[in-house]
Amino acid sequence: MAAQDSRAPAGARTRWGKAVRAIALAAVVGLTVGTVAGCSGSGERADGGRAKPPSASASQPADVAPGGDSPAFPSSLTDQHLDWGRCRAHAGSPAPGSDWQCATLKAPLDYAEPTGPTIDLALIRAKAWGEQGKRIGSLLFNFGGPGVSGLDLLPALAPEYAKLRERYDLVGFDPRGVSASRGLRCRSDKETQAAESLDLTPDTKAEETAYLRDAVAFGKGCGKQAGALLAHVSTTEAARDMDLMRQALGDKKLHYMGVSYGTELGGIYAQLFPGKVGRLTLDAVVDPSVGRVGQAENQARGFQRALDNYFRSRGKDPQEGAREIAALLKKLDAKPLPTPSGRELNEALATTGIAVTLYSETSWTALTRGLRDAERGDGTTLLALADAYNKRDASGRYDTTSHSQRAISCLDDKARPTMRETKERLAKFREMSPVFGPYMGWDTGVWCHDWPVPGQWDDPDVSAPGAAPILVVGNTGDPATLYEGARRMADELGKGVGIELTWKGEGHGAYGSGSACVDSAVDAYLLEGRIPRDGKVCS
């Protein structure tokens, strides 16, 4: 599920990757002192085949002139020198410490016209601090979304990667259309807050009409603000941007850690540039074998699975617990709870608040408190959790990650289900999850409704024959990216390319989540090039 404009629709790609754990924990800390992320696939397959690259030159490495009639890339792009300097505050985020440097990379706005207009992409790095001569190169990160800012998150999460920094420069970036890289804003904060009152599981024709009208208005706002950029924020273009980054960073191969949606981005990079694959780790894996509707179904199962595990840990029957939460949400649909802030906790915001706690087992205590308080008529805890996830501050300002997320997702995905198709699937979604299924089912028909630009593929092609081995890490208790997707990613990357590592744990993402087995396997792969046995299990 993915928060979008402080609502809680489902079926969009995983917004925060592993970092959402910190958001939930920060919310809990704030409470003691004083939607919902998910992943969409890329649309349903029409014929079981693979989508073609969106432009004639899309499958060519950026440092090799495309063949045929495609224009060659100018040296001004392929021979760029990054001018690293002091990082500045941006988009409401403070500047990182002096340990960090920032730079700007130029990329073609349209890779089919590499000599045409360009877009500036923001990068950040912390240089390796290990012994001289042992540096491997740069390790590029993408933490998910689509739409998450690497400039914001990498410095915040860097302590988790201290061991990797011994031999790598840690490098983050804002993908095109995100934050410091011409980030999109499709509506105002006032409009965002107004959208909180929408019923995301419409019960009447009027509520359904309002939901669709809001989706159209959001798309029009994106089109008006972004202009030509809206058609050039795809994951394929972001993958091509990463190869320009590789060249500008001076690396012969790309070393990369992708989390959540970042796994899809990494898989597409491998498909486009198999000969440039260095050491790639994909953690909390997006299933590349299903389309957007299939991904929503995966998430209905995944979030329900995590919720069931939560109830079992409390000694409660999962079915009984799910029925109680579904009943609570039904009450909130009819009559939202007031809070001291003057805002109300409605069904959608409550679902976001519940779901965000499932990203980490350490957040389950917050779920217990939120549910208890809501049953007593107090919506403060769940609303605070939803606001923390949506990055709404005390003054009512909202983060724009969800704006970028939707624009990228809808450019990638061809799927545009009709309302009739959407309604026909609702019973199946409810069966999968009485708590999260209704939102995910409705969202499949609204997320890209009447979007200003068409989608590019039916599902992402991640086949990468000839690439170096890629480490694919799956977590059995992952709510947002169903565990089974890791095996499917490994299989689609190709025999000998996709190497699966399993963690029998809870939460979204495995590396840095408390498993010494996982951390040591990933570190050995990235730092020493040691490849674990395919199918290795950490318990």
Side-chain angles (χ1 to χ4, degrees):
M1 298 173 68
Q4 116 194 1
D5 310 326
S6 299
R7 305 177 301 171
R13 299 176 203 180
T14 306
R15 175 176 170 188
W16 282 106
K18 63 189 286 184
V20 78
R21 298 195 303 268
I23 296 171
L25 291 173
V28 175
V29 171
L31 289 169
T32 58
V33 173
T35 29
V36 187
C39 58
S40 78
S42 314
E44 295 182 279
R45 294 192 199 184
D47 56 7
R50 290 296 180 188
K52 300 297 183 184
S55 68
S57 60
S59 61
Q60 297 293 333
D63 54 354
V64 177
D69 298 326
S70 300
F73 283 83
S75 59
S76 60
L77 296 179
T78 58
D79 297 338
Q80 289 183 71
H81 172 75
L82 294 175
D83 186 14
W84 295 100
R86 182 169 62 90
C87 297
R88 301 180 182 277
H90 74 283
S93 298
S98 58
D99 210 23
W100 295 89
Q101 300 174 310
C102 289
T104 299
L105 176 86
K106 288 192 177 296
L109 178 64
D110 182 353
Y111 272 94
E113 299 181 4
T115 59
T118 60
I119 181 171
D120 288 344
L121 305 176
L123 283 74
I124 189 169
R125 79 171 177 184
K127 298 185 73 173
W129 56 21
E131 294 181 29
Q132 189 174 5
K134 290 190 175 182
R135 177 182 175 275
I136 296 171
S138 299
L139 183 63
L140 196 64
F141 289 82
N142 182 280
F143 294 105
V148 171
S149 168
L151 270 67
D152 289 343
L153 276 185
L154 183 55
L157 297 176
E160 293 191 21
Y161 306 115
K163 188 172 184 65
L164 299 177
R165 191 178 169 188
E166 292 176 6
R167 301 193 66 189
Y168 288 102
D169 296 344
L170 306 184
V171 180
F173 68 103
D174 285 357
R176 51 177 60 211
V178 174
S179 196
S181 296
R182 287 184 61 181
L184 302 176
R185 175 178 284 276
C186 302
R187 61 173 24 146
S188 68
D189 291 330
K190 183 178 179 180
E191 291 168 330
T192 296
Q193 181 158 325
E196 287 184 345
S197 64
L198 288 171
D199 190 335
L200 305 188
T201 58
D203 306 299
T204 66
K205 184 65 176 178
E207 289 177 343
E208 181 182 321
T209 300
Y211 194 7
L212 289 172
R213 185 184 299 121
D214 180 75
V216 174
F218 188 92
K220 287 182 177 179
C222 285
K224 182 178 180 180
Q225 193 274 345
L229 176 62
L230 195 63
H232 296 289
V233 292
S234 70
T235 301
T236 299
E237 287 160 314
R240 294 184 59 87
D241 292 339
M242 290 202 307
D243 204 60
L244 278 179
M245 294 175 199
R246 174 192 64 76
Q247 295 171 68
L249 291 166
D251 292 330
K252 293 182 178 180
K253 304 280 186 177
L254 180 77
H255 308 300
Y256 173 78
M257 179 174 282
V259 183
S260 199
Y261 157 80
T263 65
E264 182 176 290
L265 177 58
I268 290 171
Y269 178 90
Q271 191 276 327
L272 293 174
F273 308 101
K276 301 300 181 182
V277 169
R279 300 173 187 174
L280 269 65
T281 297
L282 309 180
D283 186 9
V285 182
V286 172
D287 185 346
S289 69
V290 297
R292 183 154 55 92
V293 173
Q295 291 288 0
E297 292 175 351
N298 281 350
Q299 282 202 304
R301 297 185 185 98
F303 274 97
Q304 191 62 51
R305 181 185 293 174
L307 186 62
D308 290 349
N309 291 342
Y310 159 78
F311 281 123
R312 290 190 187 97
S313 75
R314 266 58 180 172
K316 190 179 185 70
D317 177 65
Q319 290 186 341
E320 180 184 353
R323 283 194 297 268
E324 290 176 358
I325 291 182
L328 171 64
L329 295 176
K330 188 174 182 180
K331 290 179 183 177
L332 293 174
D333 187 25
K335 187 177 181 180
L337 288 177
T339 67
S341 67
R343 295 166 61 223
E344 294 181 327
L345 176 74
N346 60 19
E347 182 186 19
L349 288 167
T351 306
T352 301
I354 292 167
V356 71
T357 65
L358 299 176
Y359 278 85
S360 173
E361 192 171 359
T362 57
S363 303
W364 287 0
T365 54
L367 177 55
T368 299
R369 177 176 174 178
L371 293 175
R372 180 198 63 202
D373 292 351
E375 288 290 358
R376 295 174 178 175
D378 181 2
T380 305
T381 300
L382 289 180
L383 181 60
L385 287 164
D387 284 350
Y389 176 75
N390 291 326
K391 296 192 73 175
R392 181 191 191 275
D393 66 21
S395 65
R397 291 191 298 267
Y398 292 83
D399 174 74
T400 60
T401 300
S402 59
H403 301 217
S404 304
Q405 178 190 45
R406 193 164 174 181
I408 296 167
S409 297
C410 294
L411 179 56
D412 283 349
D413 301 331
K414 281 185 177 180
R416 303 290 191 265
T418 65
M419 276 295 101
R420 179 178 177 180
E421 292 169 334
T422 299
K423 291 176 181 179
E424 288 174 348
R425 295 189 183 102
L426 289 178
K428 182 179 180 181
F429 274 97
R430 290 191 186 97
E431 182 179 352
M432 292 174 179
S433 173
V435 175
F436 304 106
Y439 297 92
M440 297 177 179
W442 274 107
D443 185 67
T444 59
V446 177
W447 181 253
C448 300
H449 177 72
D450 200 23
W451 195 251
V453 294
Q456 294 186 343
W457 63 41
D458 294 308
D459 63 356
D461 186 354
V462 298
S463 60
I470 296 172
L471 187 57
V472 179
V473 188
N475 174 11
T476 58
D478 198 315
T481 50
L482 199 67
Y483 164 67
E484 290 81 353
R487 183 69 260 170
R488 293 170 189 146
M489 172 68 82
D491 288 343
E492 294 214 6
L493 285 169
K495 187 175 181 180
V497 178
I499 306 298
E500 185 184 18
L501 172 66
T502 292
W503 178 44
K504 291 184 176 181
E506 297 293 333
H508 188 44
Y511 185 80
S513 296
S515 170
C517 174
V518 169
D519 292 356
S520 62
V522 173
D523 289 344
Y525 167 73
L526 289 173
L527 295 172
E528 307 296 337
R530 285 187 280 150
I531 304 164
R533 173 182 55 82
D534 186 22
K536 177 180 173 66
V537 177
C538 293
S539 57

